[in-house]
């Protein structure tokens, strides 16, 4: 077995074909910077970010509906903080609140239960945004609403699944050679889902942890596979990710939600990539995202190219100039998980 130092030396001295690896997780992107991973790699190995931020791919028309609810009499929008500055077609929730809109930030979805029970005369709308990592929590929220017979709380979902998005990238973006699979999502969905994709698209799919050594080992496995013309799934995060994932969490998700086509900001419609409340739970739906959603891309914004791995955030002409975390033009700069926001915090601008 090779030591970490040997692996680092081989990656630094790699002189084979150019390899472009997409990491599909904001936590991986942050850890790559934190551990100086790029400085340890040959210039022929490029790490590029993908659609790893659910906030960043939420349609502007979804934000518009939240803004509309916040300005409606006797209504209150409940959301996490990273949704506050994401712009709709006209306003952010922060701007709506400044205009008198009723918006409150929560730190846990189950806090919505307390708010609704404490204020029975207010109709609450909870903004449920996320990938598979957080969707089980939203399913639990529905269970609590039913259990407590709460009539003044509904959820507005923008829930997306990552495998259809990765498939979309494999089909449409030919320059991505391999994937560092999302660790947190993989805990829920399991590792086996990547095996078919590796065979179908002839690309390595490697699941890695979040420590520097974990990422280096995962990158080395990708480089090894490509150098030997191998294309397979490799689970290098077995301490957290099993073959089939978290069966209880998946059962909870599909008790309340079902797959549907959905709109991704910066990408468009991806078939079967969204999760909607099932028909029997439609009374709890405040108007979730759908394939009919639309988006408005600000002039000069390159979020689409960033999300699809065509460019690094610093290659956007607005990055660090017109677009900063305090004045975000594109959604990728707003969230703490967004690629542009992460790059801005870690690059000299």
């Amino acid at each position: 077995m090779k030591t970490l130092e040997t692996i680092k030396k081989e990656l630094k001295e790699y002189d084979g074909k150019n390899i472009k690896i997409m990491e599909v997780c904001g936590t991986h992107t942050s850890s790559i910077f934190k551990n100086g991973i790029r400085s340890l790699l040959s210039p022929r190995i490029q790490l590029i970010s993908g659609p790893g931020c659910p906030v960043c791919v939420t349609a502007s028309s979804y934000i518009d509906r939240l803004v509309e609810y916040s300005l409606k009499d006797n209504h209150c929008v409940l959301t996490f903080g990273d949704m506050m500055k994401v712009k709709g077609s006209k306003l952010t929730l922060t701007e709506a609140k400044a205009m008198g809109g009723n918006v409150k930030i929560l730190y846990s979805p189950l806090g919505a239960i307390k708010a609704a029970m404490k204020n029975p005369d207010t109709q609450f709308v909870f903004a449920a945004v996320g990938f598979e990592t957080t969707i089980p929590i939203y399913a639990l929220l529905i269970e609590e609403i039913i259990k407590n017979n709460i009539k003044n709380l509904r959820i507005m979902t923008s829930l997306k699944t990552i495998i259809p998005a990765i498939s979309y990238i494999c089909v449409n973006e030919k320059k991505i050679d391999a994937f560092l699979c999302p660790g947190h999502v993989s805990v829920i969905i399991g590792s086996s889902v990547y095996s078919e994709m590796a065979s179908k698209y002839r690309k390595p799919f490697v699941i890695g942890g979040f420590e520097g050594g974990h990422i280096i080992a995962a990158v080395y496995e990708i480089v090894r596979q490509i150098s030997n013309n191998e294309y397979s799934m490799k689970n290098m995060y077995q301490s957290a990710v099993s073959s089939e994932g978290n069966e209880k969490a998946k059962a909870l998700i599909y008790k309340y939600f079902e797959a549907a086509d959905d709109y991704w900001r910066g990408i468009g419609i991806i078939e079967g990539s969204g999760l909607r409340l099932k028909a029997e739970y439609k009374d709890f739906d405040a108007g979730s995202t759908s394939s009919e959603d639309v988006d408005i891309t600000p002039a000069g914004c390159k979020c689409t190219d960033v999300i699809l791995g065509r460019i690094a955030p610093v290659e956007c002409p607005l990055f660090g100039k017109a677009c900063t975390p305090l004045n975000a033009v594109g959604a990728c700069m707003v969230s703490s998980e967004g690629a542009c926001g992460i790059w801005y915090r870690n690059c000299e601008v």
Side-chain angles (χ1 to χ4, degrees), residues 160-161 163-165 254 259-262 264 269-275:
K160 294 175 169 59
T161 54
I163 296 301
Y254 289 104
D261 298 347
D262 207 353
W264 291 58
I269 297 170
I270 300 180
E271 294 182 1
S273 65
L275 287 177

Side-chain angles (χ1 to χ4, degrees), residues 86-131:
V86 182
K87 202 170 188 67
S89 61
K90 295 181 180 178
L91 300 173
T92 65
L93 285 172
T94 296
E95 291 167 334
K97 186 171 184 178
M99 293 170 56
N102 194 357
V103 184
K104 295 188 183 303
I105 296 175
L106 294 182
Y107 298 96
S108 166
L110 297 181
I113 300 294
K114 294 180 181 180
M117 295 179 72
K118 187 177 180 180
N119 303 276
D121 294 329
T122 300
Q123 178 64 54
F124 290 90
V125 175
F126 179 76
V129 177
F131 291 144

Side-chain angles (χ1 to χ4, degrees), residues 39-346:
S39 67
L40 303 176
L41 304 178
S42 160
R44 292 181 178 271
I45 303 171
Q46 182 183 7
L47 301 179
I48 196 78
S49 302
C53 169
V55 171
C56 300
V57 296
T58 297
S60 58
S61 53
Y62 174 88
I63 306 298
D64 291 341
R65 291 195 292 278
L66 289 176
V67 167
E68 184 178 342
Y69 273 124
S70 76
L71 297 170
K72 196 172 182 179
D73 289 343
N74 301 317
H75 280 66
C76 178
V77 169
L78 303 173
T79 183
F80 295 138
D82 57 358
M83 286 293 293
M84 291 296 292
K85 292 183 179 180
V86 182
K87 202 170 188 67
S89 61
K90 295 181 180 178
L91 300 173
T92 65
L93 285 172
T94 296
E95 291 167 334
K97 186 171 184 178
M99 293 170 56
N102 194 357
V103 184
K104 295 188 183 303
I105 296 175
L106 294 182
Y107 298 96
S108 166
L110 297 181
I113 300 294
K114 294 180 181 180
M117 295 179 72
K118 187 177 180 180
N119 303 276
D121 294 329
T122 300
Q123 178 64 54
F124 290 90
V125 175
F126 179 76
V129 177
F131 291 144
E132 290 94 337
T133 312
T134 54
I135 296 173
I137 301 174
Y138 301 137
L140 287 173
L141 177 59
I142 295 296
E143 285 201 341
E144 287 298 309
I145 292 173
I146 295 171
K147 176 183 175 181
N148 291 281
N149 195 31
I150 296 173
K151 304 297 185 183
N152 63 324
L153 173 60
R154 293 184 294 163
I155 70 172
M156 198 166 116
T157 66
S158 177
L159 305 178
K160 294 175 169 59
T161 54
I162 201 65
I163 296 301
I166 295 177
S167 294
Y168 178 94
I169 290 171
C170 287
V171 171
N172 294 281
E173 303 298 323
K174 304 302 183 182
K175 294 183 180 180
I176 306 299
D177 299 300
F179 290 86
L180 175 58
C181 303
H184 295 138
V185 166
S186 296
V187 170
I188 304 297
I189 67 176
S191 63
S192 62
V193 295
Y194 301 108
S195 295
E196 182 180 346
M197 297 180 72
S199 176
K200 180 178 181 180
Y201 299 115
R202 294 182 61 77
K203 300 177 189 289
F205 284 78
V206 177
I207 305 170
F210 298 101
E211 297 298 324
H214 295 161
I215 295 174
I216 282 291
V219 170
Y220 182 79
E221 171 62 19
I222 288 171
V223 173
R224 186 200 66 77
Q225 285 195 34
I226 292 177
S227 297
N228 290 281
N229 293 315
E230 297 177 16
Y231 310 97
S232 65
M233 181 281 295
K234 179 76 171 181
N235 182 8
M236 303 183 71
Y237 195 27
Q238 294 185 20
S239 61
V241 178
S242 65
S243 176
E244 299 306 317
N246 188 322
E247 297 285 11
K248 289 184 178 179
K250 290 193 290 185
L252 190 61
I253 290 172
Y254 289 104
K255 177 180 179 180
Y256 294 101
F257 301 100
E258 60 186 3
D261 298 347
D262 207 353
Y263 185 94
W264 291 58
R265 188 175 193 147
I267 299 177
I269 297 170
I270 300 180
E271 294 182 1
S273 65
L275 287 177
R276 308 271 189 282
L277 280 167
K278 291 183 175 179
E280 56 263 44
Y281 304 111
K282 65 179 181 179
D283 289 344
F284 305 110
D285 192 344
S288 300
T289 56
S290 73
S291 58
E292 297 179 359
D293 272 304
V294 294
D295 197 29
I296 297 175
T297 302
C301 177
K302 298 296 183 182
C303 275
T304 295
D305 293 329
V306 170
I307 289 170
L308 293 175
R310 296 170 183 167
I311 65 171
V314 290
E315 295 177 76
C316 175
L318 305 185
F319 181 86
K321 302 177 181 70
C323 186
T324 68
L326 293 178
N327 183 37
V329 175
C332 295
M333 184 63 84
V334 174
S335 172
S336 60
E337 297 180 1
C340 292
I342 294 171
W343 279 65
Y344 184 89
R345 293 193 299 274
N346 289 279

